[in-house]
Amino acid sequence: MSRSSYIFTSESVSEGHPDKVADRISDTVVDAFLAAEPEARVACETLVTTNRIVLAGEVRGASKDQTKQIIKDLEPKVRQAVKDIGYEQKGFHWQKAKFACHLHGQSAHIAQGVDSSDKKEEGAGDQGIMFGYATSETPELMPAPLQYSHNILRELARVRHSGERPELEPDAKSQVTLRYENGKPAEILSVLVSHQHKKRIDGKIATSKRVLEVIKPYVLSVLPAELVTKKTKWIVNPTGRFEIGGPDGDAGLTGRKIIVDTYGGAAPHGGGAFSGKDPTKVDRSAAYICRYLAKNVVAAGLADRCTIQISYAIGVAKPLSFYVDLHGTGRVDPELLEKTLPELVGGATPRAIREHLGLNKPIYARTAAYGHFGRTPDNDGGFSWEKTDLVSELKGLA
């Protein structure tokens, strides 16, 4: 029996968190390849540490010459990505960090299993399981603790970039603990923020108390007022000063924040990361289609919560399984959805997913921070998996 009253916590990390810097760089590489060749293949891993950026992985453009040229042109794009985040620190500077690129051509053995031919449809880029989730507890149809954690850091990033709060530096984390009653958010029990800062705030040595005074009004502006009470506990920079951060304070790697990227632990995760992968990799594209379908199910009023799982074998186009769980909130038979939903997206084959969502575009660098889900679809095709264009069709199933 599922519990309806409980306490749940989720965290987020900022664009300046070292792992997110790595994700941003890896997705910048994906965008560079897809901008030149929509059918490009990319599997890019990034390491960032004290004044050092290292790329590794497999790539493939339209030709060997094009692939070499895209790789040759990557360094200024990568440095610009780091500059956009805001790193101009002694220990990690967009202009001064050493850059090393070890990208090379894609394995022919992987390519032969994935590529389409006259005799076979394009197969999945790897085996694995992927999940999608949606819940009616927020307007974004996302779990509330995670959405609030993202909102906090996006607002603090806004005032940092605008110059309104120059004391703030790029690296930060947030965490929100929420009490649920009858399955609905009832009260925010605690807000935790750890934010990198300059040595001085308003001319005085920075302390946890001063950082709290700076950030609290902005945090309150993005939290539902009815959920914040006098009992809400505020914890800011609990270890004290936080001046050394980002890749100088801790190494960052692509794909280490998969729970932050998805549902904050409120739903299962198949284990595969998103950033640095072109959309033939079902770790990414199938997770997007599962979110898209789950969101449309909830938006159509067929359930208050929906989890979808899909599985693939490398080189095989058709999914091995498709599972729907409505968590006891459904107004339609899950088995009907298991039959209907894949049909709405061309059988959920890798190519059908990419074509339905328009994924072969340079739209990925923007996904690298503040979650891949719960976002607003962009006019150029970014976050297309957040559209609710199946609602009218799905309502007919109720």
Side-chain angles (χ1 to χ4, degrees), residues 13-31 44-48 54-55 81-82 85 247 252-261 273-277 284 364-372:
V13 298
S14 73
E15 62 190 312
H17 185 282
D19 293 332
K20 283 289 140 200
V21 175
D23 283 346
R24 171 69 176 270
I25 291 170
S26 290
D27 275 336
T28 296
V29 173
V30 173
D31 283 354
C44 175
E45 309 294 342
T46 300
L47 161 70
V48 289
V54 181
L55 308 185
V82 176
I85 293 169
L253 295 170
T254 303
R256 287 205 300 193
K257 287 292 176 283
I258 59 177
I259 300 303
V260 171
D261 284 345
F274 299 158
S275 292
K277 298 176 181 178
R284 181 168 220 159
Y364 296 104
R366 71 193 74 171
T367 69
Y370 314 117
H372 291 244

Side-chain angles (χ1 to χ4, degrees), residues 226-255:
E226 67 276 12
L227 296 182
V228 181
T229 72
K230 292 180 180 179
K231 295 181 180 179
T232 299
K233 188 174 183 179
W234 291 81
I235 308 167
V236 174
N237 288 11
T239 62
R241 292 161 63 188
F242 183 8
E243 294 174 32
I244 299 172
D248 186 32
D250 190 9
L253 295 170
T254 303

Side-chain angles (χ1 to χ4, degrees), residues 278-292:
D278 74 79
T280 66
K281 278 69 171 177
V282 284
D283 277 341
R284 181 168 220 159
S285 55
Y288 288 174
I289 204 71
C290 286
R291 161 62 179 176
Y292 170 73

Side-chain angles (χ1 to χ4, degrees), residues 50-264:
T50 302
N51 272 327
R52 191 173 295 274
I53 302 167
V54 181
L55 308 185
E58 297 186 327
V59 293
R60 188 181 81 195
S63 65
K64 287 185 178 180
D65 288 342
Q66 187 195 54
T67 301
K68 289 179 181 178
Q69 187 60 50
I70 298 171
I71 292 174
K72 184 179 179 181
D73 295 339
L74 281 177
E75 183 175 347
K77 292 181 173 67
V78 168
R79 292 190 183 277
Q80 184 62 47
V82 176
K83 183 180 181 182
D84 289 346
I85 293 169
Y87 274 111
E88 294 185 340
Q89 300 172 358
K90 182 179 179 181
F92 193 71
H93 195 292
W94 67 272
Q95 204 169 25
K96 299 175 183 178
K98 293 181 181 179
F99 177 80
C101 181
H102 301 287
L103 295 170
H104 58 83
Q106 184 188 48
S107 161
H109 291 169
I110 292 177
Q112 73 182 4
V114 177
D115 291 349
S116 60
S117 68
D118 293 338
K119 296 183 179 180
K120 66 179 284 291
E121 186 179 354
E122 174 188 302
D126 201 352
Q127 73 171 51
I129 57 174
M130 300 86 207
F131 288 91
Y133 180 71
T135 172
S136 60
E137 64 192 61
T138 62
E140 297 86 359
L141 304 186
M142 288 288 289
L146 178 65
Q147 192 63 44
Y148 299 158
S149 296
H150 285 327
N151 292 349
I152 288 169
L153 294 183
R154 293 181 75 176
E155 177 64 8
L156 294 176
R158 183 189 69 80
V159 298
R160 174 175 63 85
H161 282 297
S162 71
E164 187 175 336
R165 282 301 178 183
E167 312 95 330
L168 301 179
E169 295 279 22
D171 194 2
K173 284 186 170 185
S174 64
Q175 188 169 285
V176 173
T177 298
L178 194 64
R179 180 174 64 83
Y180 286 78
E181 286 290 343
N182 299 318
K184 303 293 184 182
E187 178 187 7
I188 293 175
L189 298 181
S190 66
V191 176
L192 168 60
V193 178
S194 294
H195 210 301
Q196 187 186 17
H197 55 81
K198 287 184 168 59
K199 187 174 183 178
R200 292 182 177 273
I201 295 176
D202 297 330
K204 300 178 182 179
I205 294 293
T207 63
S208 297
K209 183 178 179 181
R210 289 199 176 103
V211 175
L212 171 62
E213 291 170 352
V214 167
I215 70 170
K216 189 172 181 179
Y218 299 108
V219 175
L220 285 171
S221 73
V222 297
L223 295 177
E226 67 276 12
L227 296 182
V228 181
T229 72
K230 292 180 180 179
K231 295 181 180 179
T232 299
K233 188 174 183 179
W234 291 81
I235 308 167
V236 174
N237 288 11
T239 62
R241 292 161 63 188
F242 183 8
E243 294 174 32
I244 299 172
D248 186 32
D250 190 9
L253 295 170
T254 303
R256 287 205 300 193
K257 287 292 176 283
I258 59 177
I259 300 303
V260 171
D261 284 345
T262 53
Y263 307 103

